[in-house]
Structure formats: structure tokens, C-alpha cells
Amino acid sequence: MKNLTRKTLILTLAALFCFAAVSLAQKSPKDKFVFGPLNPIKLPQIEKVELANGLTLYLVEDHDYPTIDMRAMVRTGSVYEPADKIGLAAVCGQALRTGGTQTKTGDEIDKELETLAATVETGIGQTSGYIMISVLKEDVDHALAILADILMNPAFREEKIELAKIQQRTTISRRNDNIMPIAFREFTKLVYGKDSPYARSTEYSTIAAITRQDLVDFYKAYFYPNNTIMAVWGDFDSKAMAGKIKQTLGQWKPGKVVIPPLPKVDYAYKYTVNFISKPDVNQSNILIGHIGGLMDNPDYPALSVMNSILSFDRMFKKIRTDEGLAYAVWGDYEANYRHPGIFSSGAQTKSESTVYAIELMLKEMKRITEQEVTDQELSKAKDTYLNSYVFNFDSRAQIVNRLMTYAYFGYPLDFMEKVKAGVEKVTKADVLRVAKEYLKPDKVQILVVGKEADFDKPLKTFGEVNVIDITIPPPPQPPPQKK
Amino acid sequence: MRFKKIVVLKLLFFFALSLVLLHSLPAQTFDTMKKQVKVHTLSNGMKFIVLERHEAPVVSFHVYADVGSANEVAGITGISHILEHMAFKGTKIVGTKDYAAESKILDEVDALYDDIKREKAKPQPDAAKIKELEENFAALEKKAKEYVINNEYFDMMMKEGDQGVNAYTSNDATQYINSLPSNKVEFWMAMTSDRFLHPVFREFYKEKDVVMEERRLGLETQPMGKLLEDFYATAFKAHPYHHDVVGHMSDLQAITRKDVHDYFQKYYSPSNLTVGIVGDVNPEEAFRLAELYFNRIPSGPKPEPIRTIEPEQWGERHVTVEAKSQPILIVGYHHPDVRSKDTNALDALANIMGRGRSSRLYQVLVKDKKVAVNVVGINGFPGDKFPNLVAFYAMPSTGHTSAECLDLIEAEVEKIKQELVTPEELTKFKRGAVKSYINQMKANDNMAALLTYADVVQGDWTQLFDQIQEINAVTADDVKRVANAYLFKKNRTVGEIVPEKGS
């Protein structure tokens, strides 16, 4: 009796389960969906290896594809170049790769690598230098050998320095040809200061002042294994790969490195209205904002939620969808790892709606500092973040590079999990609090690039206008020849 | 005894297998993936291509509509792209508080718009009447807006974690992408089938304004954008590759909601839609859900293919765009579509001529003569479903001219027609192509895009994998042959930006 009842029960339950698992009717998009549990996220094993010369490696195996990639960060940056030689770091980073080595010219290296479809690159950005390798796995030994040669015996041949300088000069001559780069460049200068290492532009004079010795000195100041961390991912055995790197880059000699502190940013909030004339366009580029912040601010999770709402639910929905005024429009309080970011709200709108668009953007900026966001806005912003969180783990490349970046900037390796925990707790009151504290709609800097003759109203509607002259300073004249 | 024999056989098998693996590593990757792909076509013609892989609990979805700006005729240029925007505006269910009430007002708004157009088109339009009509129009739009739930489609998708919700339109296709956590496949099915079953093109006129801003942003305010628009118009006198995807401003202003509805009916029948799904998904379950959700879309005829074929050029063509900009040069030559037997040799040609620092044009123009800071060879321009262009682009260095760049490009073109390319150059192209495909295939969203493109444009999804062999089979003779077949003056169009006074 007992057995029969149990058997019946089990069969009934099984039948019910099968019936429930198979939907027989289509759900409407707005029906309640009950989502099954998410399959587990596979966290890859990351091997950390520190070589005797100080080079730190983070290795992750990936046997799905026959490729190997490496990306290293070197503690350096254009922020450390002298003010009279702006562009030095970029030229150094480029010439390091293109200038060849003691035994091979840059052209020979280019050909050797490209025939293998192997990529080996170096460069220097604002707050870090990078080295990268990308190869089909059978070429990794070859690529490592070339990279080691480049890093240990760079030749910095004059011919390639001159080529890099030609590119820099050409970039300078073209820097006012397109409206958006003008707007971003000049807005960055307004926020950080035009002479700030985070904003300053290369000029013909600064490029001319760079000598080969400058490049060599810059390379010698920073390019050491003990000043470099490297992420390595692909189809290899970690131990064997570490061995290969040890054999090649392990020969790279360590050196004494003095890293200057990152330049400070001393921002004084002020309300300014700025204009750059570009009479050949029929659409204005608008940027409004001030200084941003740092990611290790405990308010970063709340600010992230605020950004999501400000950008999409406020700026996009109002200025793009409701008003049809712009294709791209946003509001974003940017936070960087070690130097403050920029808070900006931007849009591009036809000349005839320039002032109207700015008024709407300012209104939205003010609104989020005055009223709490709605329950719906808050839950959607949090759900968007939390439900897409899994995508942070969709490739090993992403995982290991993130780890390396946190290590480089001295952030805890579980930083992202901490942010997630923070986002989970954010309330409407938090969003209002951080909006009030960090956004200053009355003390923004407004920049408009465009054709003022076609504006709906004069820009001075917003206050006294500072006209910015972006004429490119001419190249330095050669000294007069002595007879 | 029997046991021992089996063990030995197994060992031999694995040994042989490892030998094979060692020498055909990329082939193994492609073969493995190819075997994993499963395909199912619904009775209404809609095709689903699914690749299951479990790196992470996520799935990417790619809806490929076989319609792009190449399907457009004068008067409705830009409509494929407008329709793409409209596909985010919701349906009878999504994006509205009350469709029944809303739809009446939308019809009235459209009727008023037609009245305004008609009045404006008169030889002597009545300004007062137009003003009144426009005021009524604005008031009605406002009334219609009361029923709208702003961007509800986006909100619903993003709320569920849709990382990649977006779409893009090209000359050849309109493609819709989503990436969701893998426990939300049915949610995607419900939202997407609804989206293409009964879309409602609400907020139409405002969204046209957005598209016009997009045209200004990407084209009218950018010297390069202007150059490309005029370059296509010059290279293509007949075929619809001659207009930019975003369309002409006057057409954008004139296109009606009915135009878009008709275009949707014509080009979005299920037989014209192909779906790629890649990630942590069970193919059988995906097909079951696809049947359940998408088979209710009524089948329709496949649209008539476009009629116009670009004829041969009767002479070299040249176009200049004056702009406040430093010079830029593009040179393009006509050749057949991507299904042609010449396609891989043409890719090889573009690569050898202009990809990478060791490419011929870069070596001569940038390194040796220093007349350019960058020079690139591209193929499949602006699209590749139809006969298109192989093109070379050069950015002259300060103090140098497009003419100097063109002279050197011509010299290299002549050279590649006379002499065979080297084995190293061919290897560079082949290995580069293989590596590029491998890298693209790593990401679910890219893989879904590749699968659908291969199926629709190349003729079969298997071609994505089979083409690797074809790429590896390209010879130096092939490259010489295509260089001679297509790189001649009569077949070329030259476009350049010429600095306006005061640039």
C-alpha cells in the first residue's frame, strides 16, 4: 500500500514537473517571467608568477583557441614628460617598437612579424605604457624573442624617430578638421587647465624640441621588468609558458625606477560659458560639466547608479527621444583610478536648437540634484547593473586584464565585487545625496563649438561668453643662417 | 587478451590524432565549431542557426534582416535605417499604455502630416494654412505622446541584463543584437517575436529628427563623411550603393510612416530574417521556443531582388570635396560581389598592398617617400553583397599632396600587375585572415554575426568555415590575375578632400 502511494506520488509529481517545464503557450513580453537559476560562472585559475628580475606575470590558460596573447602595463605615462617636450612619451613608445634593435631594423621586424600575422606593439599613454603580443600559438617563441630584443636592445634609429615626428606634426596640422575632437580637447583643457599634463596638447615647438637622447632617457627611466606587470592568456600550459617568458623576458635587466607622483588636479568650481567658432558646420557640439572623481570613493557605487539614470532616463529619454534634438546625449560623472575624471553632459544638435538643448540639459542636471529619482528608475538602474554583471566574466581575456589593471593602480583585486555589493544597497536617498554633493549645476563650464550665426538665441543668454581661439601655433622658425 | 588489444588500439588512435592536431591546429578549432552548429528553419521560412558553447552563462542573439540601403530607391533613401530606429519603439504591447486609443491618434497625426506635405508641395503654398496645420500637428503629437511609455523596449531588455542591446544598418543588411544571461532565452524569444510580429512605429516624426541629427553628426559635419558620400555617388552611377546608408536629407524629411510600414511588410517577412544564437544555450530547446514564438509570424513572399546592376565605367572618374580640412585621398576599383571566385585573391591584393607596416603602400608612401602618414587597402567597400570596390585610402603628411600619394599608388598598382607577389606576402595574408577569424569567433556576439552573414550573403553558414581552405589556396598567380582584371584606370574612381581657403 505504502509503495503504491509513493510510486503514484512520484509519477504525478514527475508528470506535473514535465508539464510545467514545457511552456505550451507563448508568453507575452509583459507576462511575469520566472527565470531559472543562472548556470554557475566559471572562474578561471590565474597563476601569479614573479620572475627574479621583478617582472610580474598573471597567466590564464584557454585551450579553446590556438592563440596566445599578452598585455603588459609599464608604470610610466605622458604625464611625466616635461612641459616643453609634450609628445615625448608618445614618440618614445612608438619609436621603441618601430626603431628596430641593435641587430634588426624596424622594417625587418615589421616584415618578420607581419609574415607570421604576429602582433608585437609598444606604446605610452597618459598614465601607463603598454606592451602587447598577439599570435597564433606556434609563433609565441618567435614573438617573445622579438619582444625581448626590442625591450632590451632598442636602437631608436633616427629615421624612425623622424617618421614618428612627421606623424605628430601631421596630427597637429589636422587637429581642427573635425568638430568633435575640438570639443573634447578644449573641454578637457577647461576642466584640468590647459597646461595640465591631463589636458595639454602637443605643439610643433614641443615636437621639434624632442631629441633622440630624450627618448633614450625616457625609456631608461621607466622600461624595466620590475616596473612592469603582464597578463598572459591563451592555449598553453602555465608552467611551460612561465618558463618561456623567463627564458626571454627573464633576461631583461631590472633597474632603479623612480616614479614621480601623479600630477595633482586643483579644481576650482566656476561657472563659465565658452565658445569656439566653426562656421562650416550645421550642428553644434555641446559639452557641459566640471571635475569628476575617483573610483575608490565610497560613493562610487551610488554615483554609478546616478550616472545610469542621468544618462539614459533623463538625458537620452528627454533630449533625444522626447525632443528629437540629438543622436548622442549623455550625463556622466566620470571616475578614474588615480586621478580625477571629468563630469560631463554632452550633445550634438543642429545649430538652430543649440541654446534650447543647453537649457534642457541644465534643467535635467538640476532636477537630479533636487528631487529623488523614482522607484522605477532606481530599480531599473540597479537591475541593469546586477543582471548584466555576469558579462564581466564572459572571457578569460577580460578577467585577467581587469585583474592586472587593478594591480597596476593599486586597487584591491576584488574591487568589482565590492562595487557590486555597494550597488545592491543604493537607495533613492543615496542617489539624491551624491547628486547634491558631486554635481554643481550652477558652477558648470559650458563649451559650444559651432556656427553662432545660426543659433536659435545668442550664447550670451547663458552669461558672458569667453571665445576660445584654437588657431594652431605655427612651427618654430629655424634660426637665421649666419653668413 | 581482448582488453590488451583494445588498449593498444586506443593508444595508437590517440597518437595518430595528436600528430594530426599538431599540424592543423586552426583547422581543429574550425572543425570543432562547425560540428557544433545546429540549424532549424521554421515553416514560415525563418532560419535559426545555433552554436552552443559554455564558456560563461550568457547568450548572444543576432537577427539579420536581409535588407539595407542597397534596397532603397530615390525618394526613400535612408528608410532601412529609419526602420531600424523604429524597431526600438515598441509594439502593440510594449511601449504603450493603451494601443487602441493611441493608434487612432497616430493615424490622425499621419493624415495631418500628409496634408502639410501636400500644401507645401503646391506651387503657391498657403503659409497661414501651413502654420495652422503645423500647430495642430504639434498638438496631436503631444496627445499621442501621452500614451507612450518612453523607451520601454530598451528598459525591459536592459533591466534583464541585456549587455549589447543595439542595432546597425549597412548597405546590405539591418542587424539587431542582444546579449542576455542564459536563463533568459525565452524572454528574448517573447520580446523579439512580438517586436517583429506587430511593431508600432510610434514617435515617428521625432525619431526622424534624431536620424537627421545622426546624419549631421556622422556625415555633414565631417570632411571624411562628405568625401565618402560623394565618392560612392561618383563610383556608382546606377546601383544603390551610390547613396549613403543614412540617406539624403530631403528624403528623410519626406518619408512617411506608411512608407516605413510598407517597407517593413516587404522586407521583414520571416523568410528574409535569419537568426544567430551563440552561447550557453541548448539548441533543441532554442528551436522549440523558436517554433513556439516565431512561427506565428505569417509567412510572406521573399522580396524581389534589386534590379539595378552597376554598368562598367566608360572612363576614369574623379570627385573633389572642398572642406576646411587637410587633404585625404581615396582610390577605388570595381569588382564582383563576395561570392565571386576572385574574392579571396582580391582580399589578398588589398592586404599585400595596404595592410600593416610591411605592406607595399605603407613601405613606399609612409616609410620611404614620407608623403603619407597612413595608407590602407580595403576590400568590400561600401558593401559586398553586390559588386563593390577595392580601395586605397591615403592621408598625406604635412606639406605633401594627394597627387603625390596617387602617383606612388599608381606605380605600386602597375608593379603588382607585372610581378608576382612573394611567398612571404601571401603567408602574411593567409595567416592574418585565419588569425582574424579565430579572434572574431571568440566572442559570442561576433560569432553570431559571422554565422548569419555567411548564411545570407555567402550562401551557406558552412562557408564561414569552408572559406579557410579557399583562403589558404590563393596563389601568386591569382593575385596577379585579379590585379590585371580590375586595377585599371578606366575602372577607377578617385576622390579627394581639397582644402578650402583658410584651412
Side-chain angles (χ1 to χ4, degrees):
Chain A
M1 244 356 216
K2 228 179 175 175
N3 282 351
L4 201 61
T5 311
R6 207 171 98 188
K7 201 174 173 191
T8 315
L9 186 65
I10 290 167
L11 283 170
T12 314
L13 283 171
L16 274 171
F17 180 77
C18 287
F19 185 88
V22 174
S23 13
L24 297 176
Q26 306 96 353
K27 282 180 135 73
S28 165
K30 289 193 177 175
D31 281 348
K32 181 111 175 77
F33 279 80
V34 176
F35 299 115
L38 194 60
N39 285 338
I41 293 170
K42 298 182 212 175
L43 284 175
Q45 174 103 334
I46 300 178
E47 293 288 332
K48 183 179 174 186
V49 174
E50 188 171 318
L51 301 185
N53 63 0
L55 178 63
T56 306
L57 310 174
Y58 294 94
L59 300 124
V60 174
E61 294 181 13
D62 183 357
H63 302 290
D64 288 343
Y65 305 96
T67 57
I68 295 176
D69 287 77
M70 305 181 205
R71 188 178 172 91
M73 292 178 81
V74 181
R75 193 167 304 283
T76 178
S78 65
V79 290
Y80 300 133
E81 63 197 7
D84 60 336
K85 299 188 187 203
I86 304 166
L88 164 56
V91 172
C92 176
Q94 185 176 345
L96 177 61
R97 163 61 183 81
T98 58
T101 66
Q102 303 302 329
T103 49
K104 282 183 184 167
T105 66
D107 290 357
E108 282 168 342
I109 292 174
D110 290 343
K111 188 164 174 205
E112 209 176 318
L113 288 171
E114 286 178 3
T115 306
L116 295 172
T119 308
V120 172
E121 294 295 337
T122 61
I124 303 176
Q126 223 180 49
T127 55
S128 65
Y130 70 86
I131 300 165
M132 59 161 287
I133 286 183
S134 180
V135 291
L136 289 166
K137 66 182 266 189
E138 58 259 41
D139 303 319
V140 72
D141 291 336
H142 200 148
L144 273 173
I146 291 176
L147 178 62
D149 194 19
I150 286 172
L151 292 173
M152 294 193 281
N153 318 302
F156 289 104
R157 289 190 178 77
E158 285 286 4
E159 186 202 12
K160 297 302 182 185
I161 297 172
E162 184 50 31
L163 265 185
K165 285 188 171 192
I166 289 172
Q167 285 185 342
Q168 290 286 342
R169 288 197 289 266
T170 303
T171 303
I172 293 168
S173 73
R174 291 174 181 268
R175 75 179 182 211
N176 289 338
D177 290 353
N178 283 286
I179 184 171
M180 195 171 269
I182 294 172
F184 277 102
R185 180 185 76 227
E186 296 301 324
F187 188 72
T188 305
K189 286 183 178 168
L190 284 172
V191 176
Y192 290 128
K194 67 172 174 55
D195 296 321
S196 164
Y198 300 116
R200 59 196 180 189
S201 297
T202 51
E203 300 293 349
Y204 293 120
S205 59
T206 67
I207 297 298
I210 297 165
T211 65
R212 182 180 178 280
Q213 193 57 50
D214 291 329
L215 304 182
V216 172
D217 290 345
F218 201 84
Y219 152 81
K220 281 189 170 155
Y222 300 105
F223 276 80
Y224 293 103
N226 47 308
N227 196 33
T228 304
I229 50 176
M230 189 154 92
V232 187
W233 64 101
D235 191 7
F236 52 74
D237 166 82
S238 293
K239 256 203 168 66
M241 193 69 236
K244 283 182 197 285
I245 297 172
K246 185 172 171 201
Q247 271 191 306
T248 49
L249 301 180
Q251 307 307 309
W252 190 12
K253 284 192 171 50
K256 182 164 158 44
V257 183
V258 176
I259 305 290
L262 280 178
K264 282 215 172 322
V265 178
D266 232 322
Y267 189 75
Y269 287 91
K270 54 185 179 245
Y271 178 81
T272 69
V273 181
N274 308 274
F275 173 69
I276 296 170
S277 176
K278 195 164 196 327
D280 62 335
V281 296
N282 56 10
Q283 185 186 61
S284 300
N285 223 285
I286 301 163
L287 283 167
I288 304 173
H290 50 60
I291 199 73
L294 298 174
M295 282 164 72
D296 61 2
N297 183 333
D299 286 328
Y300 177 68
L303 283 162
S304 299
V305 173
M306 183 200 79
N307 278 342
S308 176
I309 297 170
L310 180 60
S311 257
F312 191 72
D313 295 280
R314 302 296 170 89
M315 294 293 174
F316 185 99
K317 284 184 178 178
K318 177 78 191 162
I319 291 157
R320 170 169 156 157
T321 302
D322 285 351
E323 300 278 345
L325 288 173
Y327 172 73
V329 58
W330 70 88
D332 182 75
Y333 184 89
E334 181 194 40
N336 292 333
Y337 285 98
R338 286 285 170 217
H339 75 279
I342 293 180
F343 164 66
S344 73
S345 177
Q348 311 81 37
T349 192
K350 62 189 184 300
S351 309
E352 295 79 3
S353 44
T354 302
V355 169
Y356 181 54
I358 294 171
E359 284 168 348
L360 292 177
M361 289 159 77
L362 289 169
K363 201 167 158 191
E364 287 306 328
M365 232 181 276
K366 243 178 153 228
R367 185 159 77 96
I368 206 166
T369 66
E370 289 173 350
Q371 298 160 26
E372 278 189 350
V373 299
T374 67
D375 289 314
Q376 202 183 13
E377 284 173 327
L378 181 79
S379 79
K380 194 207 63 167
K382 288 172 71 167
D383 285 347
T384 300
Y385 177 92
L386 296 168
N387 284 330
S388 66
Y389 190 75
V390 63
F391 285 98
N392 290 311
F393 303 93
D394 69 357
S395 82
R396 289 161 203 232
Q398 201 199 156
I399 293 168
V400 72
N401 275 280
R402 180 170 55 234
L403 189 75
M404 176 179 68
T405 307
Y406 289 163
Y408 178 87
F409 285 110
Y411 271 59
L413 299 185
D414 65 348
F415 175 70
M416 195 174 62
E417 281 82 62
K418 288 194 162 77
V419 172
K420 180 184 184 224
V423 169
E424 278 163 353
K425 298 197 203 87
V426 171
T427 64
K428 291 184 296 185
D430 289 328
V431 174
L432 182 61
R433 178 183 58 79
V434 300
K436 276 189 195 302
E437 184 172 341
Y438 296 97
L439 301 190
K440 314 226 177 290
D442 297 331
K443 286 207 185 314
V444 288
Q445 304 210 52
I446 300 171
L447 172 64
V448 179
V449 188
K451 185 182 181 187
E452 73 269 40
D454 292 347
F455 288 179
D456 40 343
K457 285 184 195 158
L459 207 52
K460 65 177 193 264
T461 307
F462 298 107
E464 189 188 319
V465 179
N466 170 41
V467 176
I468 299 176
D469 178 3
I470 55 168
T471 310
I472 302 168
Q477 294 306 309
Q481 296 293 335
K482 282 210 169 111
K483 283 252 192 289
Chain B
M1 271 342 267
R2 222 175 110 223
F3 176 73
K4 220 174 175 179
K5 194 175 171 190
I6 288 168
V7 167
V8 167
L9 281 173
K10 268 189 177 165
L11 282 170
L12 279 173
F13 171 72
F14 281 119
F15 182 70
L17 189 64
S18 66
L19 278 178
V20 168
L21 288 175
L22 221 53
H23 293 285
S24 62
L25 288 160
Q28 182 212 11
T29 311
F30 295 127
D31 283 341
T32 308
M33 277 194 279
K34 188 178 174 183
K35 283 192 184 76
Q36 288 284 96
V37 175
K38 305 275 184 291
V39 181
H40 178 71
T41 305
L42 308 183
S43 55
N44 64 7
M46 195 165 174
K47 190 169 183 181
F48 287 79
I49 306 171
V50 177
L51 171 60
E52 159 180 23
R53 51 194 201 187
H54 305 285
E55 172 73 12
V58 293
V59 191
S60 287
F61 305 86
H62 194 102
V63 179
Y64 189 109
D66 190 14
V67 57
S69 62
N71 295 87
E72 297 162 1
V73 295
I76 55 165
T77 61
I79 200 170
S80 311
H81 175 236
I82 289 177
L83 176 48
E84 180 225 302
H85 275 242
M86 284 297 114
F88 287 87
K89 290 297 186 181
T91 67
K92 292 181 181 173
I93 301 169
V94 173
T96 183
K97 293 171 189 162
D98 178 351
Y99 179 62
E102 184 194 17
S103 79
K104 290 200 190 76
I105 305 175
L106 289 179
D107 289 340
E108 286 174 40
V109 173
D110 289 344
L112 257 180
Y113 187 74
D114 289 341
D115 289 342
I116 294 169
K117 264 181 91 173
R118 210 174 303 118
E119 188 61 39
K120 280 184 172 171
K122 286 183 179 164
Q124 260 145 6
D126 181 346
K129 187 172 180 199
I130 290 174
K131 187 163 182 278
E132 193 192 333
L133 285 170
E134 284 179 340
E135 279 167 7
N136 293 344
F137 179 82
L140 254 184
E141 263 198 313
K142 205 169 165 195
K143 201 164 161 219
K145 183 76 175 169
E146 287 167 20
Y147 293 97
V148 175
I149 303 173
N150 191 318
N151 281 290
E152 189 171 36
Y153 172 81
F154 265 123
D155 279 347
M156 286 175 75
M157 296 308 293
M158 291 195 296
K159 193 176 168 76
E160 298 307 337
D162 191 339
Q163 176 77 274
V165 54
N166 213 334
Y168 45 98
T169 311
S170 67
N171 306 74
D172 297 335
T174 314
Q175 304 179 66
Y176 300 88
I177 60 180
N178 303 88
S179 290
L180 284 161
S182 53
N183 58 345
K184 297 186 178 176
V185 174
E186 183 167 6
F187 177 70
W188 179 86
M189 296 277 174
M191 288 289 284
T192 310
S193 57
D194 179 51
R195 191 184 195 189
F196 294 115
L197 185 57
H198 33 64
V200 175
F201 306 135
R202 54 179 58 94
E203 299 176 293
F204 177 73
Y205 303 95
K206 276 281 178 278
E207 197 62 23
K208 278 210 298 174
D209 284 344
V210 175
V211 171
M212 290 182 219
E213 293 294 352
E214 195 179 346
R215 187 187 149 91
R216 292 183 192 107
L217 178 65
L219 201 158
E220 294 179 356
T221 57
Q222 293 205 39
M224 188 65 185
K226 293 181 184 175
L227 175 61
L228 287 173
E229 182 169 65
D230 278 11
F231 183 76
Y232 304 140
T234 309
F236 295 94
K237 77 180 186 191
H239 186 275
Y241 275 170
H242 66 38
H243 64 263
D244 193 278
V245 172
V246 80
H248 295 297
M249 192 59 102
S250 48
D251 283 357
L252 298 182
Q253 280 159 348
I255 288 169
T256 65
R257 205 161 76 100
K258 181 176 185 299
D259 291 334
V260 175
H261 179 80
D262 292 345
Y263 200 78
F264 173 78
Q265 291 297 118
K266 188 171 172 186
Y267 289 107
Y268 279 64
S269 73
S271 58
N272 219 32
L273 301 175
T274 308
V275 181
I277 301 177
V278 178
D280 182 29
V281 64
N282 176 301
E284 295 315 312
E285 177 62 7
F287 295 146
R288 185 186 71 78
L289 288 168
E291 283 283 349
L292 180 63
Y293 281 94
F294 286 92
N295 223 1
R296 53 190 175 146
I297 302 179
S299 55
K302 246 208 172 275
E304 188 196 332
I306 76 165
R307 300 178 180 182
T308 314
I309 298 170
E310 183 69 20
E312 279 179 25
Q313 290 187 188
W314 289 327
E316 182 184 4
R317 297 174 190 168
H318 200 119
V319 64
T320 60
V321 167
E322 292 175 29
K324 286 214 178 323
S325 162
Q326 296 304 297
I328 292 178
L329 172 76
I330 310 179
V331 189
Y333 301 83
H334 290 275
H335 65 72
D337 67 58
V338 73
R339 287 173 301 278
S340 137
K341 62 172 172 38
D342 290 340
T343 219
N344 293 313
L346 282 161
D347 283 344
L349 176 67
N351 180 295
I352 291 167
M353 285 286 275
R355 282 293 175 77
R357 295 190 186 97
S358 71
S359 68
R360 295 193 174 193
L361 291 177
Y362 195 95
Q363 183 69 46
V364 172
L365 274 77
V366 178
K367 288 178 172 177
D368 297 344
K369 306 291 181 196
K370 309 185 204 307
V371 299
V373 289
N374 198 13
V375 59
V376 179
I378 31 179
N379 195 21
F381 180 64
D384 62 6
K385 182 176 161 188
F386 300 105
N388 58 89
L389 308 170
V390 58
F392 305 108
Y393 152 98
M395 181 179 272
S397 51
T398 316
H400 289 279
T401 66
S402 292
E404 287 176 275
C405 294
L406 186 58
D407 284 344
L408 292 168
I409 291 171
E410 276 177 2
E412 286 305 310
V413 163
E414 285 318 302
K415 204 168 143 209
I416 207 166
K417 286 158 76 172
Q418 306 302 325
E419 304 161 15
L420 291 173
V421 298
T422 68
E424 288 86 22
E425 286 175 314
L426 275 174
T427 303
K428 164 178 173 273
F429 159 66
K430 292 174 186 181
R431 284 180 88 81
V434 166
K435 182 157 165 267
S436 170
Y437 274 113
I438 292 173
N439 280 325
Q440 282 181 78
M441 290 180 183
K442 288 178 183 176
N444 289 342
D445 54 3
N446 287 342
M447 188 59 180
L450 286 170
L451 283 167
T452 51
Y453 167 83
D455 204 65
V456 179
V457 181
Q458 291 176 286
D460 196 283
W461 66 268
T462 52
Q463 189 55 14
L464 173 61
F465 304 101
D466 297 344
Q467 70 190 335
I468 305 299
Q469 260 183 314
E470 291 164 23
I471 288 168
N472 281 324
V474 171
T475 65
D477 282 311
D478 290 328
V479 178
K480 188 176 179 196
R481 178 178 55 76
V482 300
N484 281 282
Y486 304 112
L487 303 187
F488 57 95
K489 270 215 172 122
K490 210 164 133 181
N491 192 32
R492 94 178 175 186
T493 302
V494 177
E496 55 175 315
I497 290 176
V498 168
E500 250 176 26
K501 289 257 176 311
S503 300

